[in-house]
């Protein structure tokens, strides 16, 4: 046998995809493969694709075509491989393998088979796999941060979303497994763990018979990690017990990412959202009362089929009323295979773009105002990058999640991957500016 080929991975899409990428890297390194960040030097390039919306697919296709033109042996993994397996094999002769969302743990075997000249199609129709704390993992985030998957898949069937068809039904890990991985990450010096799944508030429902997020948070409270952040909390799942767990567990950040998608009951009903348009207002006010320090982020979809001016005005007023700390807005993307794809009254893209712009214009002064309230405070900042030329440090406060929220630009000296007190001197709409404050100790 000659030397093993070198492999590069091109990661696209969300942080759930990122964890799959990290496990594939870990398994390949464990099996003795050389892993290179430079795609030009690698024999194989694994492209971990995203298929959530049209724009994500376009990015995935662009990446695949560029690699094909460079005569690379391509292994296509992730949501797009699950979604369009036959078309990809047909249209990209350079693709030596397609690997589904429930099969990435077989990556070493896939490469071995490809090396033997086989064109590999490794795709389970119903993904059931979920990695645990024993699965090798090679982290790709900055040293202070790690994502921790608590569950995979989703039992809901929202009309616009393809993900349950690509990732299967919810399957949770045990509390013990999650805590064991958190302990491993703590021992590696991680300062922030971000809990992710499709619906984190439903964590444990499939294995314990009821959601166990409150118990999980309390268990993670005993791990020596300063910040534990949750992503994707459905408002209806933020029960008094979960809110109490956030209040009582000092290292659980009161940062709530609520994927509301819309405010109008009629649109929520046609989206087939799990609470069928029950009033979001009451839930949000209850959260704000129970957790006055809470940082609220939401994502919204504008231009869902049938969204009238009246529906959209309702959403505008909703954004203005609740003053979220962070808002992400997507225009509706019709996904083949979802019920919303064939709904009547699809809106033209220019109207959707206009509506998106209007929401951003309403949100910007709210975000600016929230940031101004930080000026003059000393806040803890996790230092993640350093500009080698200027020596300026870049990090995040506990109010911000990686890649989607704002940054803190910091002058002064601090080690990468540490949390330091920073005196905030100024702020703009998205970012804060400050300098390292002398520690009181």
């Amino acid at each position: 046998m000659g030397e093993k080929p070198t492999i590069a991975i091109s990661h696209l899409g969300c942080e759930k995809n990122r964890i799959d990428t990290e496990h594939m890297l870990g398994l390949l390194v464990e099996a003795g493969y050389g892993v290179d960040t430079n795609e030009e030097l690698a024999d194989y390039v694994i492209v971990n694709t995203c298929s959530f919306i049209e724009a994500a697919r376009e990015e995935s296709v662009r990446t695949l075509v560029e690699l094909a033109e460079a005569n690379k042996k391509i292994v296509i993994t992730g949501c797009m491989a699950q979604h369009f397996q036959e078309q990809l094999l047909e249209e990209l002769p350079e693709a030596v393998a397609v690997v589904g969302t429930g099969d990435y743990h077989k990556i070493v075997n896939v490469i071995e088979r490809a090396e033997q000249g086989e064109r590999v199609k490794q795709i389970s129709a119903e993904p059931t796999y979920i990695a645990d704390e024993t699965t090798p993992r090679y982290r790709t985030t900055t040293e202070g941060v790690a994502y921790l998957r608590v569950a995979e898949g989703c039992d809901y069937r929202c009309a616009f979303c393809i993900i349950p068809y690509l990732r299967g039904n919810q399957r949770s890990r045990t509390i013990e497994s999650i805590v064991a991985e958190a302990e491993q990450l703590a021992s590696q010096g991680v300062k922030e763990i971000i809990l992710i799944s499709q619906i984190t508030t439903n964590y444990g429902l499939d294995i314990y018979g009821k959601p166990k997020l409150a118990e999980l948070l309390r268990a993670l409270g005993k791990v020596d990690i300063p910040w534990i952040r949750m992503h994707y909390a459905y408002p209806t799942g933020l029960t008094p017990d979960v809110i109490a767990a956030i209040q009582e567990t000092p290292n659980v950040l009161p940062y709530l990412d609520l994927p509301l998608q819309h405010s109008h009951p009629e649109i929520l009903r046609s989206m087939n959202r799990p609470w069928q348009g029950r009033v979001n207002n009451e839930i949000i006010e209850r959260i704000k009362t129970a957790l006055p320090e809470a940082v609220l982020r939401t994502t919204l979809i504008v231009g869902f089929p049938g969204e009238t001016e009246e529906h959209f005005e309702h959403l505008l007023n909703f954004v203005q009323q609740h003053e979220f700390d962070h808002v992400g807005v997507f225009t509706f993307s019709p996904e083949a295979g979802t019920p919303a794809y064939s709904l009547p009254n699809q809106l033209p893209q220019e109207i959707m773009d206009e509506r998106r712009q209007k929401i951003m214009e309403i949100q910007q002064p709210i975000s600016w105002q929230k940031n101004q309230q930080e000026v003059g405070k000393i806040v803890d900042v996790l230092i993640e990058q350093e500009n080698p030329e200027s020596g300026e440090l870049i990090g995040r406060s506990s109010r911000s999640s990686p890649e989607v929220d704002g940054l803190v630009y910091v002058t002064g000296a601090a080690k990468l991957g540490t949390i330091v007190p920073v005196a905030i001197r100024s702020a703009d709409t998205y970012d804060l500016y400050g300098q390292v404050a002398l520690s009181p100790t």
Side-chain angles (χ1 to χ4, degrees), residues 106-165:
K106 299 172 186 160
I107 191 66
V108 171
N109 174 261
V110 167
I111 298 290
E112 285 167 357
R113 286 156 63 192
E115 278 287 274
Q116 300 299 316
E118 185 185 340
R119 201 169 189 215
V120 185
K121 186 172 148 192
Q122 180 66 61
I123 295 183
S124 303
E126 286 286 318
T128 56
Y129 176 73
I130 182 165
D132 62 21
E133 77 282 8
T134 64
T135 314
R137 181 173 174 189
Y138 184 96
R139 288 210 334 274
T140 60
T141 42
T142 57
E143 56 195 292
V145 183
Y147 292 101
L148 180 47
R149 190 189 337 247
V150 300
E152 170 67 294
C154 183
D155 294 337
Y156 292 147
R157 294 294 181 268
C158 299
F160 54 81
C161 185
I162 194 76
I163 295 303
Y165 307 97

Side-chain angles (χ1 to χ4, degrees), residues 94-111:
E94 297 79 4
V96 296
V98 288
V99 181
T101 58
D103 299 88
Y104 62 87
H105 58 299
K106 299 172 186 160
I107 191 66
V108 171
N109 174 261
V110 167
I111 298 290

Side-chain angles (χ1 to χ4, degrees), residues 160-290:
F160 54 81
C161 185
I162 194 76
I163 295 303
Y165 307 97
L166 304 183
R167 291 203 171 248
N169 285 334
Q170 178 172 303
R171 45 207 186 271
S172 303
R173 294 167 59 184
T174 64
I175 290 175
E176 293 75 14
S177 168
I178 295 163
V179 169
E181 188 171 358
E183 297 279 11
Q184 289 171 10
L185 294 166
S187 71
Q188 294 163 18
V190 168
K191 298 289 186 281
E192 175 181 19
I193 281 179
I194 301 172
L195 305 180
I196 59 166
S197 71
Q198 271 67 25
I199 305 172
T200 305
T201 33
N202 275 8
Y203 162 74
L205 181 59
D206 51 312
I207 55 171
Y208 297 116
K210 60 179 183 182
K212 288 276 190 178
L213 179 59
E215 289 84 345
L216 175 64
L217 294 177
R218 290 191 172 101
L220 288 169
K222 300 184 177 77
V223 179
D224 185 19
I225 294 264
W227 289 357
I228 292 173
R229 187 187 302 276
M230 248 190 312
H231 272 199
Y232 316 119
Y234 271 56
T236 43
L238 290 168
T239 59
D241 195 22
V242 170
I243 287 175
I246 297 170
Q247 285 168 325
E248 294 158 17
T249 315
N251 58 349
V252 173
L253 300 175
Y255 175 101
L256 296 172
D257 181 2
L258 313 168
L260 299 176
Q261 313 307 1
H262 212 281
S263 62
H264 199 288
E266 285 170 14
I267 294 293
L268 287 166
R269 268 194 292 278
S270 54
M271 284 180 166
N272 198 29
R273 295 298 277 160
W275 52 92
Q276 294 290 311
R278 261 188 280 150
V279 185
N280 284 323
N281 297 336
E282 289 166 27
I283 297 172
I284 292 167
E285 290 312 324
R286 183 164 58 90
I287 293 165
K288 284 181 170 176
T289 305

Side-chain angles (χ1 to χ4, degrees), residues 303-308 332 340-348 352 355:
F304 190 79
E307 183 188 57
T308 62
F332 170 72
Y341 184 75
S342 50
L343 281 177
N345 305 317
Q346 305 265 342
L347 275 71
M352 296 201 282
R355 288 182 180 179

